[in-house]
Amino acid sequence: MLKNYTIEYSLRFRKHSPPEHHEFYTDDPIAAEEFVQELLERGLGLHAIRHEGADLSRADFDRFVRLAAAEVASRLVCTSLNLKPEEVRNRFGFPG
């Protein structure tokens, strides 16, 4: 049976050869978003996000990445400035 979300990514260890692609599978949309957040935080390659076997449209892909990036930025600001999530949301507009 097909998992709801498939995320295709690469580790980018080798500089001069194409990276080997890997896939992460989950039925949980929260786990999918958290996995994309981890990829962004670690600077790993994100190649595709599929839902029920079909690639997300460009707008949906961009929205998914934008939300994950905002969460990562919010956590970084919280940590760096020693602020609570509510304060980061109010001061900087990031989700908290």
Side-chain angles (χ1 to χ4, degrees), residues 28-76:
D28 182 6
I30 303 298
E33 185 179 328
E34 288 173 349
F35 188 77
V36 171
Q37 290 173 20
E38 288 291 324
L39 293 176
L40 295 174
E41 266 186 304
R42 298 172 193 277
L44 301 178
L46 172 59
H47 304 288
I49 301 173
R50 295 184 192 89
H51 185 253
E52 296 179 349
D55 284 340
L56 292 182
S57 68
R58 181 156 186 177
D60 288 338
F61 179 90
D62 291 353
R63 188 176 311 109
F64 205 101
V65 172
R66 190 177 310 115
L67 288 171
E71 286 292 331
V72 170
S74 177
R75 280 199 310 267
L76 292 173

